Amino acid sequence: MLTYLMEELLMESSNLVSRLNESHETSLPLKKLLAFFIPLGASASLVMISHIIINGTLARAAHPELLIASYSIAMSLMDVIERPAVLLRQTCSALVRDRVSFRAMSHIAVYLLLCSFLIGSAISYTPLGDWVFLNFFGANREQLPDIANVFKLLNFVIIFSGIRCLYHGIIIYNLRTKWLTIGMAIRLVGMFLVAAYFVVTDKVTSGAVGALIFLIGMAIECVISVIEGRSLLKRSIPEKQEGHSITNKGQIFRFYRPLMYSSFLAVIIDPSINAFLSQTGNMELAIASFAIALNLAHLMQSFFSYMHQIVLNFYRVNARKVFRFALLMSFFPAALVSIIAYTPAGPWFLEHIMGLQAGSPLMNESLRALRFFMIMNVVFPWLDYCHGIIMLRGQTRIMVWSQAFNVVVTLVTLFVLVKLVPGWSGSIGALAQSLGLTGEILIVLFILRSTGHTRLGASFGRSL
């Protein structure tokens, strides 16, 4: 299946560039693409390092599996509620071109963040939270107090995250991507100092320590993003750009709504994986090893997670160069995972950076799960490339169907593996998530070809 996927994608993309009329393309130096992409990639990688700091801090507790599992379960629910806020970044960078459209975008953001906070507060401070964690996330009743304390802090993280994503859209559109890296770097320094305090004082006794580190870091990054974004609005964004048709909330919501629906489908995956992993022989080991492997896999692919922004900002300038750039970058995520999964670098990293005990069951299961994530890291760059094309064409509804198929494949795989090989521990979640992503890109390719009534390359070409 994976071989077919790559052959199909390369064939269709090659057909695309062969159909492009050279006269419609303008010069696009590789230096310009790298100057835009590298800061984005660096900031995304730093995000994953921030999670490694948190997991590394919790791993130094007396019983790391319990703390990491509690933090992971609370984070899974935060991801459910936060996803609509994160989508503000893509929507803003794709649609906001003047202050009129930004004001409409800001109104959407306020509604979303207010709803998110109210939902999170209900889960944090009412019996609803215990019911959700017990029935949808497979938590043990003994874990509930720690999970609740973690989530109360994460609820505020969502607000800061949504605000920074809104202004990230302005920063990215203005090609000032270095500010994303600067903001993340300062955020990491703050998180490292807080984490060091808890480790040195031997106060890593609760999963809420990880949530507090995360909250402080997100608040720092949010402040930096707002300062730079507001500055760009004043000096670089016109009041009304001639020819730009986005003027009201309804137009933005028509673009945003399918993204939101697909994100709600996507967030089913992590809670489902945790719930199924709780049915294995050792719930804490399975969830903790999956969380560590997932963080490492995301770290290796995070640098390449903004391929959709390359498409959004440069595809109409020179599609041929954009495709070649994607082809160049697509090999790196899986190669980096293989180094950690199959060489001595992996155990060394887990022991000295993540704080895991050498040869422990947690280390061994984390490495085994990471090997299955190689599939995900092969597929992801091309799926992100296709998402850029979808957003450029304004056909975001495609992402609803592809994400739904992803969820179905993931859930079926989880069900089968838990019944047949429960001893695979966190590897069950890794394989299920990888196969789900593979199914998603196959559906994306199929729908794009079908809606174009011809080969994918031609349908892409008509969007120029």
Side-chain angles (χ1 to χ4, degrees), residues 244-445:
H244 186 53
S245 60
I246 304 298
T247 59
N248 59 65
K249 298 186 292 292
Q251 293 168 307
I252 291 176
F253 196 67
R254 279 193 293 273
F255 177 94
Y256 174 86
R257 183 170 52 201
L259 293 178
M260 182 174 64
Y261 291 160
S262 67
S263 73
F264 280 137
L265 288 170
V267 297
I268 295 173
I269 294 174
D270 282 348
S272 298
I273 290 175
N274 283 331
F276 274 97
L277 292 182
S278 69
Q279 302 173 28
T280 60
N282 190 331
M283 182 194 80
E284 290 83 5
L285 178 62
I287 293 177
S289 62
F290 172 77
I292 290 171
L294 181 62
N295 280 338
L296 286 173
H298 280 169
L299 175 63
M300 300 305 140
Q301 77 178 26
S302 59
F303 191 90
F304 311 92
S305 62
Y306 280 98
M307 195 62 66
H308 65 279
Q309 291 292 349
I310 287 285
V311 175
L312 283 173
N313 287 276
F314 297 106
Y315 189 87
R316 284 195 169 102
V317 177
N318 192 319
R320 187 187 302 272
K321 281 286 183 69
V322 169
F323 168 72
R324 289 176 177 172
F325 186 81
L327 183 62
L328 174 67
M329 295 296 170
S330 65
F331 297 102
F332 287 101
L336 292 172
V337 165
S338 68
I339 292 173
I340 299 295
Y342 290 103
T343 73
W348 181 91
F349 186 89
L350 289 175
E351 179 181 1
H352 296 283
I353 305 300
M354 299 289 293
L356 273 63
Q357 184 178 351
S360 66
L362 182 57
M363 175 181 286
N364 294 334
E365 290 299 331
S366 298
L367 287 172
R368 184 167 72 163
L370 188 61
R371 290 164 189 155
F372 286 101
F373 274 128
M374 285 184 63
I375 301 172
M376 180 181 75
N377 280 28
V378 169
V379 172
F380 176 79
W382 289 112
L383 179 61
D384 201 41
Y385 177 89
C386 290
H387 283 170
I389 297 294
I390 289 170
M391 286 186 279
L392 195 67
R393 295 171 61 181
Q395 295 182 328
T396 50
R397 63 186 182 277
I398 292 175
M399 297 168 70
V400 178
W401 296 104
S402 64
Q403 190 62 64
F405 191 71
N406 182 341
V407 172
V408 170
V409 172
T410 301
L411 293 178
V412 170
T413 305
L414 285 169
F415 178 81
V416 172
L417 293 180
V418 167
K419 295 295 183 182
L420 297 181
V421 283
W424 279 18
S425 193
S427 298
I428 293 173
L431 180 57
Q433 191 159 350
S434 295
L435 293 182
L437 205 71
T438 303
E440 180 178 354
I441 194 172
L442 290 174
I443 290 296
V444 167
L445 290 170

Side-chain angles (χ1 to χ4, degrees), residues 102-292:
F102 180 76
R103 283 193 288 270
M105 184 78 243
S106 298
H107 291 154
I108 296 288
V110 169
Y111 298 148
L112 287 172
L113 294 179
L114 181 59
C115 290
S116 297
F117 186 76
L118 291 175
I119 294 171
S121 297
I123 292 173
S124 297
Y125 299 103
T126 71
L128 175 64
D130 290 352
W131 184 82
V132 168
F133 289 124
L134 284 171
N135 293 280
F136 289 95
F137 294 87
N140 290 329
R141 190 168 294 276
E142 294 76 16
Q143 290 180 289
L144 291 179
D146 194 30
I147 294 173
N149 289 333
V150 172
F151 189 77
K152 287 174 183 176
L153 293 172
L154 295 181
N155 192 33
F156 290 94
V157 172
I158 296 171
I159 303 300
F160 288 116
S161 176
I163 296 171
R164 60 132 195 185
C165 285
L166 174 65
Y167 284 97
H168 277 179
I170 296 295
I171 294 170
I172 291 171
Y173 171 67
N174 284 271
L175 309 184
R176 302 276 293 177
T177 51
K178 66 179 182 181
W179 280 99
L180 272 68
T181 307
I182 293 171
M184 270 306 309
I186 298 174
R187 163 181 162 177
L188 276 184
V189 171
M191 293 178 66
F192 179 80
L193 292 175
V194 177
Y197 165 78
F198 280 105
V199 172
V200 170
T201 58
D202 197 24
K203 293 184 177 179
V204 185
T205 58
S206 167
V209 169
L212 180 60
I213 296 171
F214 194 15
L215 175 59
I216 292 173
M218 188 64 75
I220 292 172
E221 186 186 6
C222 177
V223 169
I224 295 170
S225 300
V226 170
I227 292 173
E228 175 61 15
R230 297 296 299 179
S231 175
L232 288 172
L233 280 171
K234 291 178 181 179
R235 71 175 188 268
S236 302
I237 306 295
E239 177 64 24
K240 184 71 178 75
Q241 179 174 300
E242 184 178 354
H244 186 53
S245 60
I246 304 298
T247 59
N248 59 65
K249 298 186 292 292
Q251 293 168 307
I252 291 176
F253 196 67
R254 279 193 293 273
F255 177 94
Y256 174 86
R257 183 170 52 201
L259 293 178
M260 182 174 64
Y261 291 160
S262 67
S263 73
F264 280 137
L265 288 170
V267 297
I268 295 173
I269 294 174
D270 282 348
S272 298
I273 290 175
N274 283 331
F276 274 97
L277 292 182
S278 69
Q279 302 173 28
T280 60
N282 190 331
M283 182 194 80
E284 290 83 5
L285 178 62
I287 293 177
S289 62
F290 172 77
I292 290 171

Side-chain angles (χ1 to χ4, degrees), residues 24-101:
H24 289 293
E25 296 185 353
T26 58
S27 176
L28 182 59
L30 179 62
K31 181 179 179 180
K32 185 173 183 179
L33 285 173
L34 290 173
F36 177 85
F37 185 75
I38 289 177
L40 285 176
S43 67
S45 296
L46 292 175
V47 168
M48 296 315 304
I49 292 175
S50 72
H51 293 303
I52 287 177
I53 289 174
I54 294 171
N55 281 326
T57 302
L58 298 179
R60 287 167 169 81
H63 302 285
E65 293 90 350
L66 294 175
L67 268 63
I68 293 175
S70 296
Y71 178 79
S72 177
I73 289 172
M75 277 291 296
S76 295
L77 180 57
M78 192 204 83
D79 287 341
V80 174
I81 302 174
E82 184 198 25
R83 281 295 181 93
V86 172
L87 294 173
L88 294 173
R89 180 191 291 122
Q90 294 97 311
T91 306
C92 186
S93 65
L95 300 182
V96 172
R97 297 294 179 266
D98 50 37
R99 296 179 197 176
V100 172
S101 53

